[in-house]
Amino acid sequence: MSSGHQTLWLALIIGNSRWHWGAFEGDRWLGSWHTTHLSEAQVQTLQRHHFAPATWPQIDPLVAPPPALINGAATWPDSPELWMASVVETPVAWLADYPALHRVTLAEVPLHNTYATLGVDRALALVGAGDRWGWPVLVIDCGTALTFTAGVDQRLIGGAILPGLRSQLRALHAHTDQLPALDLDLNQWPQRWATDTAGAIASGILHTQLAGIRDFIAAWRADWPSGTVVLTGGDGVAIYQAITKQTPGLDQWINLDPDLGFWGLRACQQQGLKSLKPL
């Protein structure tokens, strides 16, 4: 990578649980990294140093941009473009003074037939999936919320939302007197017929979530036999491994892609939308 190349730009998707960062050189993907929710002071530090790779250890020693970005970053460009979408409002103001910021809202995502309260993260993931995997496409985002978002020819068909795995576990603990809080280990999928309370909670939540996902996939395949399915989100890998193990042959219908939102931001950036101006 030519580190001073003017086409280097950054992508940021601020979610409910984490901040997701990505880097591109033009349309070439350099990689992603993730942080917990940052403070205003941390954001200001990053801005002062133009988000340069050497700055990230000051924020969190365990967080570093991908090697493709670091290895070519001897001379970092001044104020690389930052294309950002957020489902959380407070951090948006912290970035408002960055001179090369492009904030992407639902109105700027190249997706038709949307509705006012559709999350920009869902819209970006759908557009990214269509761009990367082709239309028609069903996106299953396994994160804080489990969402199903379907589209054809850059047009939203519709979808569904329910609590994600960890959200269900937290809710069950918070709203009952004696059910324990559980740490979720998706590397050890629980047996269906549990003989203790913790195991029963894990079995109920995990197996019924898999059943729900299979049901939506079956409905999608019935309506759109030529359509594809893409899993994404923080629990996407574990869900993909579990559901394809339980249902032989399903892996032929499901793709795993953790970076759909970034492909959606890339689609916006490539369009050079006239309505988007640096804030």
Side-chain angles (χ1 to χ4, degrees):
M1 182 185 86
S2 176
S3 57
H5 201 291
Q6 291 302 309
T7 60
L8 184 140
W9 59 280
L10 304 176
L12 168 61
I13 299 175
I14 300 178
N16 289 300
S17 300
R18 295 190 297 169
W19 292 26
H20 309 280
W21 302 83
F24 292 86
E25 185 181 33
D27 63 356
R28 185 169 73 92
W29 178 236
L30 301 177
S32 64
W33 63 104
H34 310 275
T35 65
T36 58
H37 277 262
L38 302 182
S39 68
E40 184 175 6
Q42 289 173 317
V43 170
Q44 290 175 349
T45 298
L46 290 171
Q47 289 189 74
R48 283 197 303 270
H49 295 86
H50 311 290
F51 300 93
T55 310
W56 289 91
Q58 301 177 37
I59 303 302
D60 185 340
L62 300 179
V63 174
L69 197 63
I70 297 173
N71 294 339
T75 303
W76 188 257
D78 289 338
S79 300
E81 289 189 357
L82 176 64
W83 288 68
M84 177 198 69
S86 179
V87 300
V88 183
E89 282 301 316
T90 299
V92 173
W94 303 343
L95 290 159
D97 292 334
Y98 185 65
L101 176 68
H102 299 268
R103 185 187 178 189
V104 176
T105 64
L106 179 62
E108 287 85 41
V109 180
L111 182 66
H112 305 291
N113 197 41
T114 61
Y115 52 90
T117 57
L118 177 68
V120 65
D121 54 339
R122 292 179 64 198
L124 285 170
L126 183 60
V127 168
D131 188 62
R132 172 69 175 81
W133 298 95
W135 304 90
V137 62
L138 168 65
V139 173
I140 304 174
D141 191 334
C142 308
T144 303
L146 175 64
T147 65
F148 301 87
T149 313
V152 58
D153 297 331
Q154 289 193 275
R155 177 176 59 85
L156 175 70
I157 295 174
I161 303 173
L162 69 153
L165 291 173
R166 289 171 176 79
S167 296
Q168 290 189 52
L169 289 170
R170 287 194 296 268
L172 199 57
H173 171 64
H175 298 291
T176 58
D177 287 334
Q178 299 186 35
L179 294 183
L182 299 182
D183 291 326
L184 195 61
D185 182 5
L186 293 181
N187 293 317
Q188 297 181 350
W189 210 262
Q191 63 180 9
R192 186 178 298 272
W193 308 113
T195 56
D196 63 274
T197 298
I201 293 172
S203 175
I205 290 175
L206 297 173
H207 285 292
T208 56
Q209 185 145 116
L210 289 184
I213 291 172
R214 281 195 297 269
D215 181 73
F216 270 87
I217 292 174
W220 172 250
R221 290 177 58 186
D223 291 339
W224 300 94
S226 64
T228 190
V229 178
V230 187
L231 263 66
T232 193
D235 292 330
V237 173
I239 293 292
Y240 175 85
Q241 292 174 345
I243 201 167
T244 53
K245 181 179 180 180
Q246 280 193 357
T247 313
L250 195 60
D251 58 337
Q252 300 178 22
W253 293 91
I254 300 179
N255 303 287
L256 180 64
D257 191 335
D259 298 314
L260 292 183
F262 294 124
W263 310 148
L265 280 176
R266 181 176 61 182
C268 294
Q269 194 269 353
Q270 287 175 336
Q271 282 201 3
L273 296 173
K274 303 299 183 182
S275 59
L276 283 179
K277 304 295 184 182
L279 297 181

